Amino acid sequence: AFPKRVKVVEVGPRDGLQNEKNVVPTPVKINLINMLSETGLQVIEATSFVSPKWVPQMADHTEVMQGINKLPGISYPVLTPNLKGFQAAVAAGAKEVSIFGAASELFTKKNINCSIEESLERFDEVMRAARAASIPVRGYVSCVLGCPYEGKISAAKVAEVSKKMYSMGCYEISLGDTIGIGTPGSMKEMLTAVMKEVPVGALAVHCHDTYGQALANILVALQMGVSVVDASVAGLGGCPYAQGASGNVATEDLVYMLNGLGIHTGVDLQKLMDTGTFICNALNRRTNSKVSQASCRL
Amino acid sequence: MGTVPSALKHCLSYQHLLKEQLWIGEPAAPQAGQESQASGLPEYVKIVEVGPRDGLQNEKVIVPTGIKIELINRLSKTGLPAVEVTSFVSSKWVPQMADHKEVMRGIERHPGVRYPVLTPNLQGFHSAIAAGATEVSVFGAASESFSKMNINCSIEESIEKFEEVAKSARNMNIPVRGYVSCALGCPYEGNIVPAKVAEVSKRLYSMGCYEISLGDTIGVGTPGSMKRMLEAVMKEIPLSALAVHCHDTYGQALANILTAIQMGVAVVDSSVAGLGGCPYAKGATGNVATEDVIYMLNGLGINTGVNLYAVMEAGNFICTALNKKTNSKVAQASFNTGAIN
């Protein structure tokens, strides 16, 4: 049986734009987020408080955070990789933050130049400060179904890292198939292991569509009781590990499937498609959403 | 998330993982069957490759006979158990399939591979047999409007024509596969009632079709509507005689196929490189890509007998010939990580 409601976490403005070739001006980012706020989405990841040296696309994080309309009932989490980023985020008005762990040692080393253990220690600082400020923290675990450096990732390792992050105080753990290599088989195996350590109500899936498997993987997660799914409007955000390949699953295609399953999301698909059209025009690119591409309607 | 090198061609671990996932050059691992059994999924799924017919018929560019033959010959070597070759339809209606006789006569016939062809009526059937066909397909629809617009007659009239074909086929021991279009929605009528799909399927099965392929012609279906439709059809047709033919126009194909497989369906139609756009939604995609289906089935531990890498190569061949990008995400990703050159 499927959950009756699914919370869709929109990551387009952050994960999406961060992985797009073209950098988008601040007003366009703000407009994108404002349009998304009108679609019924309850969570919109706004930006990332990372040094612009590393992620130039997110250099305007403070302006974006301060410039967007913050509608009541909608959460606008931001990435904060360390205490410094956290403090800057709070100063800019952030009310929710996210931290990114990984189930792969090599990936962690290549990505943030430390071990998994060391990264969790850094996060602990953020957790303490967040707790003191009553700011909820969402935890991400990358490479849950495979790693571009290590290859196979054991489900037990994913469960271990997820458990640590949950115990540290993350209210939700988003399990990311970072290179989109997973299939319903590996998704099931991984979730079975993680669900032994973290309650399913605190789990989310963040599937990439690089191998076209995202919706099938999400379907399996839903069948196992997961009711929070990350997606990116228009499927923004390519895969940095496979040039020209796609990355994030498109929010429109996800909502289309959930609608067909009779699962409530609160999202207006037409408004979402309009938002996708807007950002694709601004980026001068075609949408990655198949629902958007198809023009016949039922 | 920090900087990441964009070129990982050197990354051996990723290539290893990919090769494992793609099961390049290797048949299914011995424990694969058990894995799928434990989860209630079929141990083996038969893939029916429709690229050369359904795919090429719906491509803008008309492909020369020699290229069609080469494509089919390559597909014959991948382990695919069935390759739909061409359509014995009047070239006035389907110019892309005008060379049906030459293609049928020109292809290599590999043992263990079936080569069905479309035969909309008795005339087409006779022509197909004369050209050497050993299996034929007939196309019904669950929608009156679609039937009228597509073949200019009602469902009942079309069934009568197919019965003629089925009768002749039976006399000659030629197996007939039946397709039901618009199983999850119609471009003209909109919603299609599952009971109607079941009724048309039953008519085709009763006249002697050994297998009924249920087609989501415009790709509007979702796991919800797929389940309801299959539940209705499974009341009339044994599971082992059912196949699903999903279009990926709304990105739902793999999720729909997974749903069908979870319900026990063990035959899936697909098209190499996702050839064949949707004639009802300009610029939109149509058939689901064979590569992406096999990737998913491999990951589920389900045996198909198909070498994914070989299919990707055939896909690469035809896309080059058509001067177009592949619609297969697996092919896109694999060729770009350097795991495949």
Side-chain angles (χ1 to χ4, degrees), chain A residues 41-68:
Chain A
L41 285 160
Q42 297 170 272
V43 186
I44 302 165
E45 198 177 63
T47 186
S48 185
F49 282 79
V50 181
S51 161
K53 195 169 42 143
W54 297 122
V55 187
Q57 299 93 323
M58 300 284 126
D60 54 2
H61 37 67
T62 304
E63 296 91 318
V64 169
M65 202 63 215
Q66 288 173 341
I68 57 175

Side-chain angles (χ1 to χ4, degrees), chain B residues 99-306:
Chain B
D99 55 2
H100 37 67
K101 289 201 194 95
E102 294 91 320
V103 173
M104 198 68 221
R105 294 206 189 103
I107 56 170
E108 289 164 12
R109 307 280 277 261
H110 289 238
V113 184
R114 298 167 76 130
Y115 299 94
V117 300
L118 251 71
T119 53
N121 49 39
L122 204 52
Q123 188 192 7
F125 175 77
H126 289 314
S127 190
I129 299 301
T134 48
E135 179 171 331
V136 301
S137 308
V138 295
F139 259 78
S143 154
E144 286 292 356
S145 312
F146 188 83
S147 197
K148 198 105 193 93
M149 296 294 269
N150 220 30
I151 52 179
N152 203 25
C153 61
S154 69
I155 295 180
E156 192 57 46
E157 286 165 338
S158 73
I159 300 257
E160 279 162 27
K161 286 188 199 169
F162 301 149
E163 264 163 355
E164 290 185 329
V165 173
K167 201 161 143 215
S168 290
R170 206 177 314 129
N171 289 339
M172 301 179 67
N173 278 330
I174 299 269
V176 183
R177 188 186 210 227
Y179 282 86
V180 181
S181 303
C182 298
L184 298 178
C186 169
Y188 310 103
E189 282 180 22
N191 239 0
I192 293 293
V193 174
K196 188 70 184 175
V197 183
E199 180 197 317
V200 176
S201 302
K202 186 174 182 178
R203 296 292 299 274
L204 290 172
Y205 189 66
S206 308
M207 76 171 70
C209 292
Y210 75 92
E211 195 167 87
I212 307 296
S213 175
L214 303 161
D216 182 11
T217 306
I218 46 173
V220 285
T222 62
S225 57
M226 172 63 86
K227 181 160 196 257
R228 286 190 293 276
M229 184 275 294
L230 282 176
E231 276 166 353
V233 176
M234 278 160 62
K235 289 197 184 108
E236 310 289 348
I237 316 270
L239 200 44
S240 55
L242 290 179
V244 288
H245 183 112
C246 297
H247 279 193
D248 203 38
T249 318
Y250 290 80
Q252 308 294 306
L254 285 189
N256 292 343
I257 290 167
L258 180 64
T259 300
I261 291 176
Q262 287 176 338
M263 292 175 75
V265 171
V267 184
V268 176
D269 299 358
S270 60
S271 174
V272 61
L275 291 179
C278 178
Y280 306 97
K282 218 175 104 113
T285 56
N287 287 299
V288 68
T290 304
E291 299 92 317
D292 300 0
V293 173
I294 292 176
Y295 185 91
M296 181 174 79
L297 296 176
N298 284 354
L300 282 163
I302 293 173
N303 192 17
T304 61
V306 182

Side-chain angles (χ1 to χ4, degrees), chain B residues 1-12:
Chain B
M1 275 227 336
T3 48
V4 169
S6 54
L8 275 184
K9 293 187 173 90
H10 61 283
C11 180
L12 288 174

Side-chain angles (χ1 to χ4, degrees), chain A residues 14 18 54-55 100 110-111 146-152 179 181 183-185 209-213 215-216 219-220 223 240-246 253 256-257 260-261 286 290-291 293-296 298, chain B residues 1-6 8 11 13-14 17-18 20-21 186 190-191 220 222-224 248-252 254-255 258-259 262 280-285 292 295-296 299-300 329-330 332-334 336-337:
Chain A
R14 203 283 308 169
Q18 178 170 319
W54 297 122
V55 187
F100 260 79
K110 297 271 192 180
N111 224 27
C147 168
Y149 306 98
E150 278 186 26
K152 235 182 148 75
I179 47 175
I181 206 161
T183 63
D209 203 38
T210 318
Y211 292 82
Q213 309 294 305
L215 284 187
L219 186 68
V220 163
Q223 289 173 337
Y241 307 96
Q243 235 210 31
S246 59
D253 300 359
Y256 184 91
M257 181 173 82
L261 281 164
R286 281 190 74 198
K290 288 206 164 172
V291 169
Q293 274 172 43
S295 49
C296 61
L298 253 200
Chain B
M1 275 227 336
T3 48
V4 169
S6 54
L8 275 184
C11 180
S13 294
Y14 190 9
L17 178 59
L18 214 45
E20 251 177 61
Q21 296 281 145
C186 169
N191 239 0
V220 285
T222 62
D248 203 38
T249 318
Y250 290 80
Q252 308 294 306
L254 285 189
L258 180 64
T259 300
Q262 287 176 338
Y280 306 97
K282 218 175 104 113
T285 56
D292 300 0
Y295 185 91
M296 181 174 79
L300 282 163
K329 288 207 164 173
V330 170
Q332 265 174 47
S334 307
N336 286 318
T337 52

